[in-house]
Amino acid sequence: MLTNLRIFAMNHQTIPSAHINNLCCYKIRASFKRLKPYVLLGRNYSSLPGLIGNDIKSLHSVINPPIAKIRNIGIMAHIDAGKTTTTERILYYSGYTRSLGDVDDGDTVTDFMAQERERGITIQSAAVTFDWKGYRVNLIDTPGHVDFTLEVERCLRVLDGAVAVFDASAGVEAQTLTVWRQADKHKIPRICFLNKMDKTGASFKYAVESIREKLKAKPLLLQLPIGEAKTFKGLVDVVTKEKLLWNSNSNDGKDFERKPLLEVSDPELLKETIEARNALIEQVADLDDEFADLVLGEFSENFDLLPAEKLQNAIHRVTLAQTAVPVLCGSALKNKGVQPLLDAVTMYLPSPEERNYEFLQWYKGDLCALAFKVLHHKQRGPLVFMRIYSGTIKPQSAIHNINGNCTERISRLLLPFADQHIEISSLTAGNIALTVGLKHTATGDTLVSSKSSALAAARRAEREEEKQHRKNNEAERLLLAGVEIPEPVFFCTIEPPSVAKQPDLEHALKCLQREDPSLKVRLDPDSGQTILCGMGELHIEIIHDRIKREYGLETYLGPLQVAYRETILNSACATDTLDRTLGDQRHLVTVEVEARPIETSSLMPVIEYAESIHEDLLKVSQGAIENGIHSACLQGPLLGSPVQDVAITLHSLTVHPGTSTTMISACVSRCVQKALKKADKQVLEPLMNLEVTVARDYLSPVLGDLAQRRGNIQEIQTRQDNKVVIGFVPLAEIMGYSTALRTLTSGSATFALELSTYQAMNPQDQNTLLNRRSGLT
């Protein structure tokens, strides 16, 4: 492995040591010695980032390339579209791995967790840093499984561009829609890569049409495939009118030819390419005024004379404006089309300086960064991934966490490379860094150089908003938008092997929660058991497995249960009095509240106050009142599930002088629970969007099975030779569905689930559920 410059020089024997001495001053050589990679798993990496072939650069250009040459991108897609395989090929062709990793062999760089390698899926997003033709690319491979949607969300939050990977035989699938909506929310420019062009049933035309119809996007066809499925052998570059053919004798796909299309050798292909290029030029001209002026002026007579460079610049502007998406194709597994995809990433996706971040003007070059992921390492402790938006970050420097209102010190700064980390001396804006030593920073925290820097930025923001007549509070101005954490839908009890191991389990769960904010842990007030809440069966299974492997604890999981919610159907009033004497002090509170249902969906109760409530009294006890209401709504009267879609009105409040706020809170909570019990109550159950892809022969048994599961079928689409069943099904009925579906279809069908909403249960199902919970059935 690379432990110092001497080994690096041995790997590149064409460079004489005298040449290194001439190029690198003593300070740079000394700095290189400090670039010690931290190695977890043995892999063959060819060189340090930035050091490729005979190109020895200054240390500054290796670590901190110009911001215009940086690309922060993510690979996103539906499960099994080929994200990790595409990432592996990218790393191989950019010179950072010497062997091609394979998901099936379990030796990929970005899927380095044991659970990922066993299951052949991505669970955690992994960051990789590499160079391609003078550009620094920070790439994040994200999961495709719906249980790990938060992983995608928090990574997209800090990226400047994304590559959406599609299975060319399936087009747009269920999870593709989810990740596309997430990218829309963060306004991220995208490139589409139609993967698996060699797969049976692959159809370039069908995949492009599904992008147009389902994603409501305008595809710009920059490439055309030469052949499809078994006949797929290369691509045509529509912009330059060249064909790219891969050498059939080459095992790794590094060797390919780029030849101009000629009338003599490829008349049909040339004709098709010219038509596609003319259509592309017209499309781009409609979307970009600068390009339209150029086309209508100099090249209106003959589009063939339009230089490729002018067209590429226009496509870059259109991609940045997100009015259209470039579409490329290939087969990552068969090593075709990945190098042109890398070229497109550097050519069409934005650099950090091309993204418009309003908050940067307030920091005036001071440090501003967002922590977007936390990993726990046995030796180093918490490792925090952060995106630097402005300023420079250095080891041994103190930084201020605005969210936590605390100051911490960074002990080390690392360049992330999947399961390896290279120690560096500084990093500038636009980069993604990995820091050691931050004990309290969590996902979504905003980090600045100091508290005074944050206050100065707040004052600048305030002045700017006064000019524009806008009002925000100070925290909102300074905080970068974090991530929205979805509510868990499954829960189960978790117990340590013995009481002595309880503190170890609590430590493990605390670490895992900090890594994964979608994992919730709570204590059951009645039984005292620890409850684990997660996004799905797989999510909880992975957490259980990680506790065993990483923390050495053999825990016991209770049966998986669905996270129901409750609401009320009519208004109800209640009064309550709490009269306690503690020591010499009498605590007396009398409360009257009304609980009523509301139309809008709201997990938190809407709190209202009657006009008769005295303002001075409210000022003193408002916090205690609201605490009492919130705690009462955490456990409903039917199942002990959270209560939603309710409004609580406080009609009267009488407080004896000297009464503590804790007593006020307790009285309000008890009174609200009384009101909720009086009203007609309703259980709400999670309803899932379900998409099943099944062969025609097995459609009938699948539909029959869904009918038994209280499924509601919306439509049945045709996708190539398969049928796609789209509908809704209650989460309680879908537990263990993967096994049942495999049995029904001889393992040929696939399905995707996503939480849709919470819906009211019908009275019969509700009674059955309540009887089961109370032990009557």
Side-chain angles (χ1 to χ4, degrees), residues 592-651:
E592 184 187 349
V593 299
E594 179 192 5
R596 60 182 175 81
I598 54 172
E599 294 288 323
T600 53
S601 180
S602 169
L603 186 56
M604 303 299 284
V606 175
I607 301 170
E608 297 166 351
Y609 299 96
E611 290 179 6
S612 57
I613 306 289
H614 202 276
E615 269 187 40
D616 292 339
L617 178 61
L618 195 60
K619 205 176 285 181
V620 175
S621 52
Q622 187 170 356
I625 294 164
E626 292 182 1
N627 279 344
I629 292 171
H630 285 302
S631 64
C633 290
L634 285 175
Q635 286 193 297
L638 285 173
L639 295 169
S641 300
V643 178
Q644 69 172 45
D645 307 339
V646 294
I648 307 293
T649 307
L650 184 71
H651 283 296

Side-chain angles (χ1 to χ4, degrees), residues 366 400 407 448-460 478:
D366 279 349
H400 181 69
T407 299
V448 294
S449 52
S450 63
K451 196 166 187 175
S452 57
S453 161
L455 292 170
R459 283 194 292 272
R460 290 187 200 108
L478 288 182

Side-chain angles (χ1 to χ4, degrees), residues 284-335:
V284 176
D286 284 343
L287 300 168
D288 186 81
D289 292 342
E290 186 183 330
F291 185 66
D293 293 341
L294 182 73
V295 170
L296 293 172
E298 292 178 56
F299 306 103
S300 56
E301 298 300 318
N302 189 354
F303 285 174
D304 285 352
L305 299 174
L306 181 76
E309 191 184 335
K310 300 280 186 189
L311 180 53
Q312 286 162 348
N313 291 339
I315 293 168
H316 176 74
R317 291 194 297 272
V318 166
T319 307
L320 256 61
Q322 293 162 61
T323 48
V325 285
V327 175
L328 298 95
C329 62
S331 168
L333 189 65
K334 293 289 191 285
N335 312 316

